[in-house]
Amino acid sequence: MSETIRPVLSGQKALVVGVANDQSIAYGCAKAFAEVGADLAITWLNDKARPHVEPLAKDLGASIMAPLDVSVPGQLEAIFDQIHAQWGRLDILVHSIAFAPKDDLQGGLLNCSAEGFAKAMDISCHSFVRMAKLAAPLMTDGGSMFAMSYYGANRVVANYNVMGPVKAALEASCRYLAHELGPKGIRVHAISPGPLKTRAASGLKDFELLLAEAAEKAPVGELADIMDVGFTCAYLATPFARRITGGTVYVDGGSNIVA
Ligand code: NAD
């Protein structure tokens, strides 16, 4: 595909958070941005994740690579300091991370502990607000921010449990951030991919069933892959999408419109 693609984001600076491996949605975003000319900053969760992420980041030509666990005080500030020092600005931010403790995720919402709910909300939602706060001052020419949501934010999806309310909060946060940051020329999008076989998805009970159902429902006959998600974000980051902000953009082959 790359031969036919124009470098529409040439020279744009993109921070992509959430690459765990080459199946990660964040990897699809980073690869799509690189294919259309953007410079990348890519993070890994911790030392254990680094050997899986660093080679991918190098292959994509990332010029900034660093550890980032959003629950470790100071790490988020450190990556934005590095971006400020090295690039002096930022154009694109991708938040593609989620976490809930296993027992709290798999035991149904009624059994989700207060601590588990708070942790899921902090890592999967509020960390986006923190990132947006640090990113906005660097988006001196405007910019685009993306957070990965899921259909379970708005409709009950069996076994999605606590992540449903968390993604609902994430989508609402995107709307409020879009409203606050719009005057600065910064647009904020919730992206809602259909089910994809990633490491995070493997924590959901009966995920294979969900995949099969969504594929069967999809009007286009197949589900989206991570590059579809990446190129959707790349498009939304271009001036062609300059009047789009605050909404939830489904990248799911149309499954969400089918009852
Ligand atoms: P993934 O496992 O590849 O990515 C999840 C990422 O979250 C990992 O890179 C992990 O390191 C990161 N993460 C977890 N805790 C973190 C922390 N404290 N600090 C920093 N990073 C942390 O799985 P994925 O499916 O690519 O997930 C990416 C996003 O897409 C998530 O928000 C997920 O809910 C969302 N999503 C996934 C699907 C799907 O079917 N896979 C569908 C819709 C939305």
Side-chain angles (χ1 to χ4, degrees), residues 18 20 24-25 45 68-70 96-98 148-149 167 193 195-196 198 200:
S24 295
I25 292 171
L45 178 63
L68 174 59
D69 178 335
V70 296
S96 187
I97 70 176
M148 295 303 153
S149 187
K167 292 298 192 190
L196 284 155
T198 62

Side-chain angles (χ1 to χ4, degrees), residues 122-144:
D122 183 66
I123 293 176
S124 318
C125 179
H126 189 261
S127 65
F128 181 54
V129 178
R130 297 199 289 278
M131 277 182 206
K133 185 166 183 173
L134 292 164
L138 292 173
M139 292 186 165
T140 44
D141 289 333
S144 312

Side-chain angles (χ1 to χ4, degrees), residues 12-226:
Q12 298 266 297
K13 311 292 185 197
L15 167 62
V16 180
V17 180
V19 179
N21 52 43
D22 64 1
Q23 329 242 288
S24 295
I25 292 171
Y27 178 71
C29 294
K31 193 161 191 290
F33 293 152
E35 289 200 16
V36 294
D39 293 335
L40 298 171
I42 291 181
T43 64
W44 47 79
L45 178 63
N46 50 28
D47 286 348
K48 204 171 147 211
R50 181 175 183 166
H52 304 282
V53 181
E54 195 172 27
L56 298 173
K58 283 187 175 157
D59 275 358
L60 294 176
S63 44
I64 296 177
M65 292 174 272
L68 174 59
D69 178 335
V70 296
S71 63
V72 175
Q75 284 201 352
L76 203 48
E77 287 76 6
I79 181 82
F80 281 97
D81 283 349
Q82 197 180 338
I83 288 171
H84 184 235
Q86 208 165 314
W87 285 344
R89 62 170 231 273
L90 185 69
D91 304 290
I92 299 165
L93 167 69
V94 175
H95 176 286
S96 187
I97 70 176
F99 177 79
K102 197 171 174 203
D103 288 347
D104 294 293
L105 176 64
Q106 297 191 339
L109 183 57
L110 281 174
N111 294 315
C112 181
S113 67
E115 297 76 32
F117 193 101
K119 188 152 183 91
M121 194 64 101
D122 183 66
I123 293 176
S124 318
C125 179
H126 189 261
S127 65
F128 181 54
V129 178
R130 297 199 289 278
M131 277 182 206
K133 185 166 183 173
L134 292 164
L138 292 173
M139 292 186 165
T140 44
D141 289 333
S144 312
M145 301 182 179
F146 302 94
M148 295 303 153
S149 187
Y150 178 58
Y151 185 65
N154 299 302
R155 296 281 182 276
V156 175
V157 174
N159 302 313
Y160 203 54
N161 301 339
V162 62
M163 288 312 294
V166 168
K167 292 298 192 190
L170 182 65
E171 291 188 11
S173 301
C174 287
R175 288 190 286 276
Y176 279 84
L177 289 173
H179 186 255
E180 285 184 34
L181 294 172
K184 293 182 164 43
I186 298 170
R187 297 178 290 109
V188 186
H189 309 274
I191 304 295
S192 188
L196 284 155
K197 239 178 154 169
T198 62
R199 215 180 58 196
S202 68
L204 296 172
K205 210 168 143 253
D206 293 333
F207 184 72
E208 295 287 340
L209 214 66
L210 200 73
L211 266 178
E213 276 171 13
E216 200 188 328
K217 270 180 27 178
V220 304
E222 53 189 5
L223 290 172
D225 62 26
I226 60 170

